[in-house]
Structures are given as C-alpha cells and as structure tokens.
Amino acid sequence: MPSHCNMRKPEKMLLLWNLMAAVFGLGQAWTNVKHGLQSTNGIRSDCAGNLMRLSLDEALAVGNQLQVEAINGTQRILVTPSLAAQCGYSMESDPWGNTRIYMSLLGCFMANKDDSTFSTSLKLHMYKHSPSDVVSHDVTQTCSYSRWAFRDVLCDRNYMEVSTNIAGEQVTKGHVQNKDDSTMNKLPGDSEEAPGIWKMTFYTPEPVSMVLKEAEQAGYGAKMTQTRLAIRSPYHTSETYSEDVAGVPMEILKVSVYHKTQQGLNVVNLVAACPTGGVLFTDEFISWHIPRRVTPLTEGKVKITELYMGINGQRLDKAQMAARGYSLSTTEFHIVVDIPVGSPDGYYKSHAPDFQYHITYTIEPMLEVVWRPDNTQEETKYKILFPITTPPMPHPINAIDYTIPEERVFNVHVGAFLHDVILKNITFPTGVLSVEECNARGFAVQEHRLANGTKMFSVSVAFDTEVVLKHNPEPLVTTYFLPLVFGFAVLPEDLPFAHKVELQASLQDVVLPTLTGTCDQEHFLVSVKYGNQGHHFKTMVGHQDLTPELGKTLAYQDNGTHFSIVVPYAASVTAFEFVTTTSVRTRLNMLLWDSVNQWVLGDLYLSCNFPLATTRCYSNGTISTIAVKLESVPNLSPSWLTLKDQSCTPAFSDDRFAHFIFNADSCGTTRLFFDNYMMYENEIRLNHNRKGVVYTSPVDPDYKQTISCYYIVNDTQSISFASQPRLYEPKAEIGLGHLMVQMRLAQDASYQIFYQAEDYPVQKFLREPLYFEVELMQSRDPKLEVVLENCWATSKEERNSLPSWDIIINGCENPDDSYAAVFHPVMMDSTVSIPSHVKRFSIMMFTFIQDDQVLKDEIYVHCNVVICDTNTPTEGICKGQCVHTSGVKAHQSTKRGQRPPSSTNQKQISSGRILLNN
C-alpha cells in the first residue's frame, strides 16, 4: 500500500465547544424532543444507530459562542474538550456554521433503560457579545437501539470506544464478588470506591495497570451497564500505539478490564483499532481504504456479513449512493470508499499557503462493517466516522474585463471565491486603498453573490482618474493602462493573499494641438491651441527648438489652453522667399512633434509680404541697398555678393544680409535717360571667382538683384517769397556744435531690448555673449558714420585702470583674443533709420585672472568712437570698420594709459558694471 496523504490527526479534532455561531429568531426553548428526527427553530435531533446526533442550522451560526452543558439529574456539567473525548461527545462544524454534535449511547450522562432505550438532556448557551447577552435552549432526546453486537467498536473524530457483551460471564476464581451493583452507573469519580470496575491494564504493548480512578484522571472513560462493558480513549494517549494494518496506519487501544460481578471478579480483554490514514486523492475523487480484516480486532478467519456506507453519521442506501456518485467496494485486502470531490454532502474551505489562493474539500464519510468469525457467533460491529480533507488545491482566480472603452470606465470582476474570502484593499499605481477608501474616491467596489454559493468582487475606475496610466501608441490613439493588486483575506484566520490584474483599453480620442497664424507690418503672430494631451510636445520654430531662451525673444505667452509667440519677420528662424525693391516675402515654418515617438502632431507654413525699402536713393548721389539671402539659394553667404564691379563688396554683412553703400557714378553703375528722368542701375551678383576659387554648384542658381534709382532731370519749382532790405549783408561764420554718442548693452542678438540704468550691475555667466550697440544720437545727417576705433575692458570703472584687455584695435578685432569680438550688421528698420549711425559688436563674458585666481568678478567696457564724413576723402580709420591693406587686417597695438589725444570728431564712451554670475 502506498503512503497516504492527509493522515487523520484526532488529537486536533477535539470538540470545539466554543464554536462561533449566529442566532436568528430562536423563539422558545426546545424541550422534550422524543424518538426519531425532531426539529424546532433550526435545531434538529435524530438517532443514528449507536449514536445520537444533534444538528444546528447556519441560522444559529456565525457570530456567537456555543457552550454545551450536560444535565445529570440536578447537576449541569460543562462539557469541555477533554471531557468530551472521555465521555463520548464530538462535534463538527463547516464554514457556513452548520454544526453537528454526536453522543455515544454508552457515554456519560446518558440515561439507560435495559440497554435499549437511551435518553439525554442538554442545555445549549449561545453568547452573542458578552456573557450577559445569552440565549439558552433545553434539548432532550430519546433513542431506541437494541442491535448490539457481541463487540462494538466506534471510531469518532476525537475518541475510540469499544464495548462488549458481559451477560453470562464466567467468574474468575479466587476474587471477591461485587457487594453492591446499585452504584454501577454513577458518574466517574463520584466515589473513592470504584463500583463494578476495579482496575484496567493497558498494553502499549508493555502492560501498564491503573485503578479506575487513575484511568479516569488520565482521560479514559469506562462504563458498565446490565449487559455491556464500554471503554473509551482519546487518540494518541500514552497507553495507545500505532500499527500498520494492510498498509493503513491504525491507532490501537488494548486493555484488560477487571470488574466485579455477583459471582466474583471477571477479566475482559478489549481492543479498539481506528484508522488515522488510508486516503488517496486525485483531482476528481477521494479513495478511502480501510483494512478488510483488522487483525487487532478479529482472530482467525472472518467474513463480512454487513457493509454500509454513510455520510455525517447517517447510512445511505444504494439509490442515494448512486445519486451522489459514491461507491463502496472490496478488494482482497481493503474496503474502498470512493467519493467525488465536490459532492454536496461536503464543503469547501479557503486557504492561503504562500499567499496564494487554495481551497480544500472536506467530507465526513461513515463506514459500518460487521465481521463474523467462522468458528463462533460473536460478531464484531465496526463503525467509523472519518472526516477527510483534501490537500490544498490551487484555485484559479479569473479576472473578467467588462470594460467598454467608449464609456471611459474600467470595469473588472475578480473571482470566484468561497464565502469565507473578503476583499480588504486594492493596490493602485499611486498606493494602497482600503475598500472604504476606494468607494470614497469614487472607485466603486462591490461584492456579487453567485447562484452556486460563491462570490466575485468588482471595481470600476474612470479612465480620467490619476491612478490610470496612459500612453499613445499612435498619434490619435490613447491606450489606458490600470495595474491592480487585489488584497484578500481568508476568514476566520485572516490569512492574506493577493491577485494581480492588468487592465488595458484603447480609444481614438486624441485631440491634436492646432496652429493658427497671421501677420502685421513687422511680425508673424502665431497661436497654438493645446489638444487634450496638454503641452506634452516639442515645438520647432524654423530650424530651432522653442527653448525658454528663444521664447523670451519671441514674446512667448501661455495661458494654460494656448500659447502664442510674436516672431519678427527678419528673425533668424524665418526664411526669405522673394524680395522686391519695396517688400520682402518671408515664411515662418512651425512644427509640433512628439520627441519620444517622433510623430508630427501639427505644422504651420505661413508666408507674408512685409514692407522693406531695400534700396534708398539719396539726393547727393549716394545709394544704399540691402541684399537678403533667399531660401532658393541655401548655400549662399551674403559676404560673397558684389556689385557689377566686383571690387564693390558689402559695407557689412552677416549670414542673412549684405548692406551696400556706393555712389551713383561708381561700382559699374549704368545711367539711362528717358522722358524727364535719369535712371541709375546696378546689380548685386554672386562673385564666381572668390579668392581664386571658382564657384560652381549644380544645385544653387545664380543670384541677381537689380538696383534702380530715378532722378528728375528737369524740374521747375515755383516759390513765392517776400524780400526785405537788410542793413548789412549776411556773412557765414564757422559753426561749432556737439554730437552725442551712447553705448548700450542689449539683452540678446536681436538688439530689440536693452538694459536700463536701473538694471546695472548686469549679471552674466562666463562666456555668455555680451551684445553692445554704439549709436550717434540727435543727428539726421546720412553723411556721418560711426566707426569704432578702439575698445577695451577693465576691472575698474576708470578707463585707464589696470589690468585691461583689448577688444577692438584700430577698428579691428584683437587677433590675440581666443574669443574675438564679432561685428554685427545693422539694417534699417523701425528702430534704426540711418544704419551708418549705429555699430554693433559682441564679446564673450570673461574675467581677469592672475596665477589661476580671479582678480575681480566684474568688468567695464570702454570705446573710442570716431565720427566720419563719408563725402570727404578720408584716410585711416574713416575708411571703414577694420581697414584692410593687401587683404591683411591692419592692427596697431595701443598701450593702455597712452591713448592718442582726442580729436574733435572722436568720442569716448563706457559701459556700466557687468558682474560674473557664479
């Protein structure tokens, strides 16, 4: 026989006299219940062979404590677990609260008439919340039973009992007879004299002798009636032992009982053997094996004359067994009972080993066997009540997703569970919430009872709550994700376990951001309306990311639902498409994109014509014109442009503009007369032979921009005047005046916003650009031009203080500076009417260092400025900013403190204090 699972452990199956039970509408006390099945208010009593059975419905179950008292005449005796095993009481209760109490007819406190009629009285106390809050019931039961065999063996869940017929026993010679048989049925231990039974010898297998009182104190029960002698023993006492019979472990009690009769002293040898194992399990069936011949109980050859199966102490007939799928069979060595797992006569119970949900199935089969030896009529009747519980079985937990994405609510049902499971909490991505907290937050948690007695739990969570995660697998699709961990507990042990559920739903519900734009005379005005995903995207303006720094220059504003920018038409982020003498067509490209998935979420391509006088014709024959880098010639550097005469290069240029200033009779300008007009015309071209390198490009077209100036040849003006004789002829005198020059520090390269006096000292980071502008003030004379002669920086406010560092020397950047000054072109716009009056340059923020130590964390910038007359032949610095000789920059170092004397057309200016930001 293979080893058996779920060995019976009777020592743990003691009577649970403090059972938790519930009471609902008990009504009046139940009295005088007589023969057969009786029932009142959920309490039923019936007779089951040599047992009485008392049943309490679940209506009297969960929530209260049950206490049982046996009534013996005028005494009420509290039946404790130890007394129950000694006196023949046992109890079983399922998780629903259905309770059964079994009482042996030969047990203590049982009134016996002729060993055929047995009566008992019990008092049941049910405590609700406190000892004072109690409901009591009196129960009386009478059973008739006369089918005693010569030897009856009873195996209940907490004790073994063996009784034998002692009528007509032979007296053991030489022993004293019993004086008085009237005290035979008194309670154990009522008297120092032990009536009837003198002593007992237990075989373990070594003999151990005890007088009756000692045996009772050890927990054994003994009783003599008119015709029978009964002995009871709890399981696993010191005087019992284990033995395998046909591969089935058995608990054995062997005892010799010395008792008095009227004829003298008799000795009766009794044996009880009860199985503690012999159960095999499959996923679908329980197979219970009992030895066909229990050798401790029977000697020699025996045959089975009666064989019955039952449930919960009650026999079943063949029809009942067939209806339930039970089978009872015999093999050469065993009696086999097969029971389907899940039969309605048993019950399931929840467990949580290793925090995982498992269930067990428990059922209490009964087996009754009658053996008859071949050589005698002394039958042995064997009755076993044997509760069986399967090993914990993993029980799948199903999560049924009832989510309808269009309703934007997750709805999931989890289960099914037995009734003894409760939901305690749910773990969301943001934390753990109890069921009460879930409902308070609007996450509806419900319990659902199913028709088969199980239950499920559900929770509903809206997509838009903070616990729901979301991402976009496609530009217009949102996937909502909700990971949950359900925290359960098994009652009454409060054993925790958990189940993880991941919910996901997708909706095409994304509203993308939208871009709109218009133009005024000088700017692009763009507004971006956010979609329902918020501002979770990148913005490109032209070819640049819209950073906070760029946003400051573009007047970035955000009100939560929109953001707007104002882009000057000549900003570096725009592109010039076409230019005329009076306007320029400029385009602004904007792109909204998801940097994670590289998705384009929106774009704007806005082109507008802006007024721009590219050519100005002055009455003195001076012509100034601006050439712009068009998008159609992307590789063009404006510095490469020239007039027809290739020696006429831009007066200044940058990466987008070239500014030419020339006389109408120079640089290859042609003249044409028609009607009353004279037209001067030149052309801006791309120099195809720059620095000896032939410019060839299969992609870029030629660049040409025509320059035209019209002058009236003959014009008559009528002027009315009145004369008045003078006393003296007027004489011209040489006039003197003052020209004012200012130097300002701009906030960025656009030169639109400048630091004011109250902003100083200005703080800048190391190597952060400093944008300076020098402007001739209060003059409208286009013949004048501002030229930066020398600029330098000091650590003190005094111009000639030391240390100092050259920035511009003789109109050119300092060649010894690793971060040389950069000259910026000046174009005519709303703030600059005469570009020659303004000079712009930038340097990197620095500090003076000596021996790797910062001398001072502030600088001042000073400049000597020369004001030149462009119509007067000039030499030296007035030839232009950074004069070239034979293609080499001319530099003449001037020591600090030895500046050349100021001329009448030279001005000195200085900046405010600029601090290094650490």
Side-chain angles (χ1 to χ4, degrees):
M1 176 68 66
S3 61
H4 302 288
C5 303
N6 195 42
M7 307 296 273
R8 181 175 181 177
K9 297 182 179 178
E11 75 277 7
K12 294 185 179 179
M13 299 179 181
L14 299 177
L15 188 59
L16 305 179
W17 296 107
N18 290 327
L19 171 75
M20 297 299 294
V23 180
F24 298 97
L26 296 176
Q28 299 299 320
W30 188 34
T31 58
N32 301 323
V33 178
K34 297 297 182 182
H35 305 274
L37 177 66
Q38 303 291 333
S39 176
T40 300
N41 296 326
I43 301 178
R44 300 182 307 281
S45 177
D46 59 354
C47 303
N50 57 352
L51 291 171
M52 286 185 185
R53 187 173 66 174
L54 182 66
S55 301
L56 287 76
D57 286 346
E58 61 178 305
L60 307 178
V62 180
N64 298 317
Q65 290 185 345
L66 173 65
Q67 203 174 72
V68 178
E69 292 179 339
I71 299 176
N72 186 42
T74 59
Q75 291 183 306
R76 296 197 315 190
I77 302 168
L78 178 64
V79 182
T80 63
S82 60
L83 185 61
Q86 185 178 22
C87 286
Y89 292 80
S90 70
M91 185 170 70
E92 190 272 338
S93 180
D94 62 27
W96 286 265
N98 297 303
T99 303
R100 291 181 298 276
I101 300 175
Y102 298 95
M103 295 161 283
S104 170
L105 297 184
L106 297 177
C108 307
F109 323 120
M110 189 71 67
N112 182 349
K113 182 179 180 181
D114 300 327
D115 285 340
S116 60
T117 303
F118 304 87
S119 301
T120 190
S121 295
L122 299 176
K123 195 171 191 67
L124 307 181
H125 301 285
M126 296 196 178
Y127 296 93
K128 291 185 177 181
H129 304 292
S130 65
S132 60
D133 187 10
V134 61
V135 177
S136 300
H137 302 271
D138 293 326
V139 178
T140 301
Q141 173 68 31
T142 299
C143 288
S144 296
Y145 184 73
S146 58
R147 294 193 58 197
W148 296 102
F150 177 78
R151 182 186 299 107
D152 276 68
V153 177
L154 173 63
C155 299
D156 208 336
R157 42 175 67 239
N158 59 325
Y159 67 88
M160 328 183 251
E161 179 184 277
V162 56
S163 69
T164 188
N165 186 0
I166 57 173
E169 286 182 317
Q170 298 297 322
V171 177
T172 303
K173 294 180 179 180
H175 285 271
V176 181
Q177 295 183 357
N178 188 14
K179 296 180 180 179
D180 185 5
D181 195 43
S182 62
T183 61
M184 295 286 285
N185 291 326
K186 283 192 174 182
L187 293 176
D190 276 356
S191 171
E192 292 295 329
E193 300 289 335
I197 299 174
W198 171 43
K199 72 171 183 177
M200 292 179 283
T201 299
F202 298 91
Y203 300 93
T204 64
E206 297 298 326
V208 176
S209 295
M210 302 180 189
V211 297
L212 178 60
K213 186 175 182 180
E214 293 174 331
E216 290 173 341
Q217 290 174 343
Y220 297 99
K223 184 173 185 178
M224 284 184 62
T225 68
Q226 293 178 357
T227 62
R228 302 196 71 78
L229 171 64
I231 301 295
R232 270 181 305 280
S233 170
Y235 288 95
H236 302 299
T237 68
S238 300
E239 288 70 45
T240 62
Y241 64 94
S242 297
E243 180 179 314
D244 274 8
V245 179
V248 177
M250 308 286 287
E251 184 81 3
I252 309 296
L253 170 69
K254 282 187 178 182
V255 61
S256 295
V257 181
Y258 296 81
H259 69 96
K260 301 174 184 179
T261 67
Q262 293 179 351
Q263 292 78 24
L265 184 66
N266 272 3
V267 179
V268 178
N269 296 320
L270 297 176
V271 178
C274 294
T276 58
V279 182
L280 298 177
F281 301 96
T282 67
D283 291 341
E284 298 179 353
F285 281 92
I286 299 170
S287 292
W288 178 28
H289 293 69
I290 303 95
R292 182 167 180 171
R293 179 173 175 267
V294 182
T295 51
L297 301 181
T298 58
E299 300 293 340
K301 298 182 67 175
V302 297
K303 65 179 178 180
I304 297 175
T305 59
E306 294 182 40
L307 183 61
Y308 301 99
M309 175 197 173
I311 294 292
N312 298 331
Q314 191 72 41
R315 284 185 184 180
L316 299 177
D317 58 30
K318 291 184 178 180
Q320 292 172 321
M321 291 175 58
R324 292 167 167 82
Y326 303 146
S327 70
L328 177 63
S329 61
T330 59
T331 66
E332 183 178 357
F333 298 102
H334 296 96
I335 301 169
V336 182
V337 177
D338 287 324
I339 301 172
V341 174
S343 165
D345 292 319
Y347 61 87
Y348 284 100
K349 176 74 176 71
S350 298
H351 303 271
D354 298 326
F355 306 104
Q356 302 296 316
Y357 186 50
H358 289 64
I359 60 173
T360 57
Y361 176 73
T362 298
I363 192 168
E364 188 178 62
M366 181 189 73
L367 183 70
E368 289 185 294
V369 187
V370 177
W371 288 294
R372 177 178 295 172
D374 288 346
N375 56 358
T376 179
Q377 297 298 312
E378 295 180 351
E379 294 180 331
T380 297
K381 184 178 292 185
Y382 190 42
K383 184 173 185 176
I384 312 170
L385 277 69
F386 194 80
I388 298 174
T389 299
T390 64
M393 300 174 287
H395 188 70
I397 301 175
N398 298 316
I400 306 174
D401 189 356
Y402 290 108
T403 301
I404 301 175
E406 289 71 22
E407 295 180 358
R408 302 184 64 82
V409 176
F410 281 117
N411 185 5
V412 63
H413 287 58
V414 179
F417 301 99
L418 300 182
H419 77 288
D420 55 357
V421 171
I422 61 170
L423 176 62
K424 301 191 74 172
N425 55 55
I426 301 176
T427 302
F428 295 89
T430 56
V432 182
L433 298 178
S434 66
V435 172
E436 295 76 13
E437 291 171 331
C438 288
N439 288 317
R441 295 277 292 274
F443 309 149
V445 178
Q446 293 180 315
E447 179 180 300
H448 306 270
R449 297 281 180 168
L450 305 182
N452 62 1
T454 61
K455 61 184 176 180
M456 300 187 77
F457 299 94
S458 68
V459 61
S460 299
V461 181
F463 286 2
D464 298 328
T465 57
E466 72 280 2
V467 301
V468 177
L469 309 177
K470 60 192 71 173
H471 76 280
N472 301 100
E474 300 176 26
L476 297 177
V477 175
T478 302
T479 294
Y480 299 90
F481 181 64
L482 180 59
L484 300 172
V485 179
F486 289 82
F488 300 98
V490 176
L491 298 178
E493 302 92 340
D494 200 28
L495 300 175
F497 67 95
H499 184 68
K500 184 177 181 180
V501 176
E502 293 184 349
L503 304 175
Q504 181 173 307
S506 295
L507 277 176
Q508 189 169 330
D509 60 353
V510 175
V511 177
L512 296 177
T514 54
L515 301 93
T516 56
T518 60
C519 301
D520 61 14
Q521 291 294 306
E522 296 182 352
H523 305 90
F524 293 97
L525 309 175
V526 180
S527 175
V528 176
K529 181 181 180 181
Y530 300 142
N532 60 1
Q533 304 296 300
H535 193 190
H536 301 296
F537 55 82
K538 296 286 188 180
T539 303
M540 286 194 69
V541 183
H543 56 278
Q544 298 183 35
D545 287 330
L546 182 56
T547 61
E549 293 75 17
L550 180 59
K552 288 182 180 179
T553 67
L554 302 182
Y556 176 90
Q557 291 186 339
D558 189 337
N559 66 359
T561 61
H562 298 70
F563 80 81
S564 63
I565 56 175
V566 178
V567 184
Y569 77 89
S572 60
V573 295
T574 63
F576 298 122
E577 294 183 321
F578 184 75
V579 64
T580 68
T581 57
T582 59
S583 66
V584 61
R585 187 171 73 223
T586 309
R587 188 182 73 252
L588 175 65
N589 298 341
M590 283 190 63
L591 186 69
L592 309 180
W593 61 292
D594 183 332
S595 59
V596 176
N597 300 295
Q598 302 298 311
W599 294 329
V600 175
L601 305 179
D603 53 36
L604 174 69
Y605 300 92
L606 179 61
S607 292
C608 294
N609 290 317
F610 296 94
L612 175 63
T614 58
T615 301
R616 289 180 178 268
C617 306
Y618 298 99
S619 59
N620 63 355
T622 300
I623 300 174
S624 67
T625 186
I626 295 175
V628 299
K629 178 181 177 179
L630 297 179
E631 185 185 33
S632 59
V633 192
N635 295 324
L636 172 67
S637 174
S639 64
W640 300 345
L641 297 174
T642 68
L643 297 176
K644 287 182 180 181
D645 183 348
Q646 294 186 6
S647 65
C648 294
T649 58
F652 58 83
S653 63
D654 59 11
D655 57 349
R656 305 193 73 201
F657 295 93
H659 189 192
F660 293 88
I661 300 176
F662 61 96
N663 293 326
D665 58 354
S666 65
C667 297
T669 306
T670 60
R671 184 174 58 181
L672 179 65
F673 293 90
F674 58 93
D675 294 335
N676 197 35
Y677 293 91
M678 179 174 58
M679 180 180 70
Y680 289 91
E681 190 174 73
N682 207 323
E683 193 175 76
I684 299 175
R685 300 175 176 177
L686 181 59
N687 182 1
H688 284 258
N689 191 19
R690 308 185 314 278
K691 300 181 182 179
V693 179
V694 177
Y695 174 79
T696 58
S697 172
V699 178
D700 294 343
D702 287 341
Y703 183 94
K704 290 184 180 181
Q705 181 175 331
T706 301
I707 305 166
S708 301
C709 279
Y710 297 87
Y711 293 92
I712 299 175
V713 177
N714 296 317
D715 189 15
T716 302
Q717 297 290 340
S718 298
I719 300 175
S720 60
F721 68 94
S723 62
Q724 185 174 358
R726 293 179 178 269
L727 295 177
Y728 304 99
E729 290 295 326
K731 295 180 181 179
E733 296 182 358
I734 296 176
L736 298 176
H738 294 281
L739 294 176
M740 183 182 295
V741 178
Q742 72 170 2
M743 182 164 65
R744 297 189 294 176
L745 179 61
Q747 293 188 11
D748 51 51
S750 67
Y751 287 93
Q752 298 294 315
I753 304 174
F754 295 88
Y755 291 105
Q756 304 301 314
E758 60 270 15
D759 298 328
Y760 286 90
V762 173
Q763 292 191 1
K764 292 290 183 179
F765 291 99
L766 188 64
R767 297 182 183 174
E768 183 177 355
L770 304 175
Y771 298 98
F772 292 97
E773 179 182 89
V774 178
E775 182 180 9
L776 175 61
M777 306 295 291
Q778 300 176 356
S779 175
R780 305 299 297 171
D781 190 347
K783 299 188 300 297
L784 299 182
E785 181 179 4
V786 170
V787 177
L788 301 176
E789 182 182 19
N790 295 293
C791 294
W792 65 99
T794 64
S795 62
K796 300 178 181 178
E797 190 173 2
E798 291 78 14
R799 294 170 55 84
N800 295 326
S801 63
L802 293 177
S804 67
W805 182 255
D806 287 321
I807 298 172
I808 297 172
I809 304 173
N810 292 333
C812 296
E813 63 269 27
N814 182 0
D816 297 328
D817 198 338
S818 300
Y819 299 94
V822 177
F823 294 102
H824 296 278
V826 181
M827 298 175 297
M828 188 181 305
D829 57 22
S830 60
T831 61
V832 178
S833 58
I834 304 176
S836 62
H837 289 188
V838 179
K839 284 295 184 289
R840 291 170 176 168
F841 69 96
S842 64
I843 64 172
M844 298 294 186
M845 179 63 186
F846 69 95
T847 185
F848 290 97
I849 297 176
Q850 181 177 358
D851 298 329
D852 296 330
Q853 296 295 323
V854 176
L855 295 179
K856 202 169 186 181
D857 57 359
E858 64 184 39
I859 63 171
Y860 296 83
V861 176
H862 316 277
C863 286
N864 288 338
V865 180
V866 177
I867 302 173
C868 301
D869 186 348
T870 58
N871 287 337
T872 302
T874 58
E875 297 292 340
I877 195 66
C878 284
K879 282 190 173 182
Q881 193 71 52
C882 191
V883 178
H884 290 260
T885 304
S886 301
V888 179
K889 293 182 179 179
H891 299 283
Q892 293 182 357
S893 177
T894 302
K895 294 184 179 180
R896 301 290 166 249
Q898 296 179 2
R899 298 286 168 190
S902 298
S903 62
T904 56
N905 63 339
Q906 187 184 74
K907 303 295 180 182
Q908 296 179 341
I909 52 177
S910 298
S911 73
R913 183 159 61 118
I914 303 172
L915 290 179
L916 176 67
N917 191 330
N918 293 320

